[in-house]
Amino acid sequence: MLTSGLLRPVDEAHAIDEAALLRYAAEHVAGFPSPARGLALTQFGHGQSNPTYCIEASAPGGVTARYVLRKKPPGAILQSAHAVEREFQVLKALGTYTDVPVPKVFCLCTDSSVIGTPFYIMEHLEGLIYPDNKLTGVTPTKRKTIYLAASETLAAIHKVDVTAIGLQKYGRRDNYCKRQVERWGMQYLSSTGEGKPARYQKMLDLAHWLKEHIPKEDSSAGFGTGLVHGDYRVDNLVFHPTEDRVIGVLDWELSTLGNQMCDVAYSSLPYIIDATPSTGYSYGGFEYTGIPDGIPPLEEYLAAYCSISARPWPAANWKFYVAFSLFRGASIYAGVYHRWTMGNASGGERARFSGKLANAMVDRAWDIINRENVLREQPARGMHVSKGPSQEFQRKHEGSISTKDQGKFVPSEKVMQLRDKLIKFMEDYIYPMENEFYKRAHSTSRWTIHPEEEKLKALAKREGLWNLFIPLDSAARARELLFEDRSHGSPGSSEELLLGAGLTNLEYGYLCEIMGRSIWAPQIFNCGPPDTGNMEARYKLSYFFIRKTLKYIQVLLRYGTKEQQKQWLVPLLEGKIRSGFAMTEPQVASSDATNIECSISRQGDFYVINGTKWWTSGAMDPRCQILILMGKTDFSAPKHKQQSMILVDVKTPGVQIRRPLLVFGFDDAPHGHAEITFENVRVPATNILLGEGRGFEIAQGRLGPGRLHHCMRLIGAAERGMNLMVERALSRTTFGKKIAQHGSFLADLAKCRVELEQARLLVLEAADQLDRHGNKKARGILAMAKVAAPNMALKVLDMAMQVHGGAGLSSDTVLSHLWATARTLRIADGPDEVHLGTIAKLELQRARM
């Protein structure tokens, strides 16, 4: 029926001050008739939760505008229930940033003094609602279209990138079912406190069974989790009056983030039970009464959802999800009945029979549990179902996540768990703080550390997301160092966290890419100095800078003495101090390290250093205490034996930080990239790393992983550029249609995706070869990745900037910042020309073999 057909006079218990409402709406609803000649208020009879009204405001000239008001019910309500504020939040985000069909919201009022309880006002959708799940009176062809449209719309909801629309803190993704069982169990007890219904004990037993059978996948915050509607049913959808498509999803009261398969099972309940409160209730459900002609079988409904959403067939845990949906439904209807007894239920006479329906749902749940099979292991032949995450899901959430059907780059379960935790951490803490970090970086306090940074670091440690870059062999060395004096057994868990997770380069690649989506992220996980996100040029810039801490730590892990490691390495592992790398010199072409002129001269028990360095990243940071300097100890030795590396305390007399250098106008505060002079700087001879003439050996030992980490992060940066580009193209109109509808954009977008995936596979292959063959044998493919990744990222980010127009060039988005980073990486760690030369020489050698 039409939405207007669901209206009835306002219940006496739900009457509100219409004059106060009129005054508020006139002031806060854009386009509200003013002056309004009058206001007519009616109430929607459909629904059992938040009272919902139709507002008809008449303007001079007889024009009538319709709006919908949704409010909390009066009287005592259960804790956390009827949160209209959350409804408004999710509707606002979806309506502004996505194509999910929802009514437009105009205003939210949290002042209870206006009409008695908080409320919000949204647009009135004149369409069709089908309160009867059997779709009585609808043609068979249309019935099928309606159910499949419902399945498609649910898939669209579940594909929403909550971070992109600002809902990353809308709820916890992990352990959703566990928390929901506890919540609805408590709600049921609260609703039945003054009288035990007939199924009371069976309901408690059901809660216990559910707690014992929660799927393993529920503990994860990764694939299959996201925005959950919470009450998704055909009768909560508004269909177009003449076209068989959904124009509005209603009743978001129970929405949150979590396990999305719960939505799917709940939307499937018409196949299981007739949930229409009435005097003649029965178990009902299509499987009992027969599927009305035209409505697709349950398998077809599920297959349509799985195909569109790229979810696997849910047979393994379907029994749990259906039983959980019935359990939750029983709790909800028990609450409706409780409110009816209190006189404040919004569903009118229908609420009277909700208690019986709650009991029926408990019985039905046990019937499902006691069955041997509830869903076929595989869908019927001809029904297409995805076997894993879609490419779009990977693009928006995890980046390059391979499944066992997608090639040899398959992350282990440990890596998958770390990735899920990392994604959740990024969504909950990093993305929401980016603007705050940027503000400080542009303020007069820019050369100080944001107070939230240390708090986030402590949280990252507790989450086991600390020092993830440390490779297996280096972790073993660090363990010996950190715990060699321990006389009371094994190290504690907090100490072990300093050593990372023992990952290979390939395994770390899946995590490094995710960190690369935010310039601020690596510093929080101690996988790079804490960047301001500003660009830097030449040899180091923000993403090179990200790799800086790992370089210092890896150099000390591999080449430092135990004394050096104890003095500097442990504080670096703990994130208490920062470091800098002083190699590049302003007067020579430092991409050829044999050109450097800084001298390191032995004088008794000291070395004396003289020279000028620049682009010493991190030296401006107030926490920077140690520099690793590359200079020449013997100018007459063979070309690659002249250089040495030495540790320099920044407080040593003669160390002068001259100025911060700018990159495309950014000073990269609070860390910066300094020009430093060393004038007769005397450091202990014990500060030399590995010995004189070993500088190139040390440099080559860490160049492979360092270059590769650049590439990994660039994949993540390009993915974020793709996300922003697509969102912009879908939301902006030019020359009468969305940017996303222009053929030139579509072609360019496709090319960007092709190049990004090519670069990703090349980087993963390079990581795999680095793990299996080492730096020397993998140098060819490492060089290829180092050339391909920055150039690919530049193309993608340039395209994203173009789509954003003027905004893409400004600091209002991260795009120009990311572009500058990628551009600098065509120089950092060796210019393209050097790497191309390496590739060509290896190719010629291969031809001669």
Side-chain angles (χ1 to χ4, degrees), residues 59 129 203 266 376 655 658 803 814:
I129 288 182
M203 183 68 165
Y266 194 76
R376 292 170 52 144
V655 177
R658 296 297 182 183
V803 171
V814 298

Side-chain angles (χ1 to χ4, degrees), residues 748-824:
D748 289 339
L749 178 68
K751 292 175 183 176
C752 286
R753 172 52 63 189
V754 169
E755 294 198 17
L756 196 157
E757 296 302 330
Q758 289 173 336
R760 172 181 282 128
L761 288 173
L762 183 61
V763 170
L764 290 175
E765 177 66 24
D768 187 48
Q769 288 198 27
L770 183 62
D771 287 329
R772 290 188 288 112
H773 304 306
N775 285 345
K776 187 172 182 180
K777 289 188 177 180
R779 67 187 185 279
I781 195 164
L782 287 170
M784 295 179 208
K786 181 59 175 59
V787 172
N791 283 281
M792 174 278 298
L794 282 171
K795 178 175 180 178
V796 172
L797 293 166
D798 183 80
M799 175 67 179
M801 291 165 64
Q802 192 75 9
V803 171
H804 278 73
L809 306 178
S810 73
S811 59
D812 288 357
T813 75
V814 298
L815 292 172
S816 59
H817 192 173
L818 293 173
W819 182 92
T821 300
R823 179 60 187 88
T824 311

Side-chain angles (χ1 to χ4, degrees), residues 23-211:
R23 289 192 298 270
Y24 186 90
E27 182 177 352
H28 293 90
V29 177
F32 195 83
S34 180
R37 296 176 55 189
L39 183 145
L41 203 64
T42 49
Q43 189 170 358
F44 286 95
H46 184 62
Q48 306 291 327
S49 186
N50 292 324
T52 307
Y53 307 78
C54 179
I55 304 171
E56 292 189 52
S58 300
V63 179
T64 300
R66 280 187 169 183
Y67 303 89
V68 173
L69 179 147
R70 192 160 161 87
K71 69 186 287 289
K72 288 187 178 183
I77 58 177
L78 297 175
Q79 185 179 6
S80 78
H82 309 284
V84 295
E85 299 88 349
R86 286 175 60 81
E87 285 190 48
F88 178 87
Q89 180 186 1
V90 69
L91 287 170
K92 181 75 171 177
L94 291 172
T96 303
Y97 301 111
T98 77
D99 291 328
V100 173
V102 292
K104 178 181 179 180
V105 290
F106 295 106
C107 63
L108 169 69
C109 177
T110 57
D111 183 358
S112 297
S113 67
V114 179
I115 61 170
T117 62
F119 66 93
Y120 67 91
I121 298 175
M122 58 183 167
E123 71 172 321
H124 176 271
L125 297 175
E126 188 60 54
L128 297 170
I129 288 182
Y130 299 98
D132 175 14
N133 290 322
K134 302 182 187 69
L135 305 182
T136 304
V138 178
T139 65
T141 301
K142 191 164 186 171
R143 285 174 180 167
K144 181 172 184 176
T145 304
I146 288 170
Y147 265 78
L148 294 182
S151 178
E152 178 182 355
T153 302
L154 181 58
I157 293 171
H158 288 174
K159 290 166 71 175
V160 167
D161 181 352
V162 292
T163 300
I165 66 173
L167 291 180
Q168 63 271 16
K169 288 191 173 182
Y170 196 60
R172 284 179 53 190
R173 289 187 177 212
D174 61 317
N175 295 309
Y176 173 77
C177 294
K178 178 182 178 181
R179 289 181 283 107
Q180 286 282 299
V181 171
E182 293 172 354
R183 173 190 174 183
W184 291 111
M186 293 299 296
Q187 294 272 81
Y188 183 79
L189 293 175
S190 299
S191 299
T192 57
E194 298 179 3
K196 303 295 186 287
R199 306 302 192 278
Y200 182 79
Q201 187 57 49
K202 290 183 72 174
M203 183 68 165
L204 298 185
D205 292 342
L206 178 57
H208 177 75
W209 184 92
L210 291 169
K211 291 177 181 178

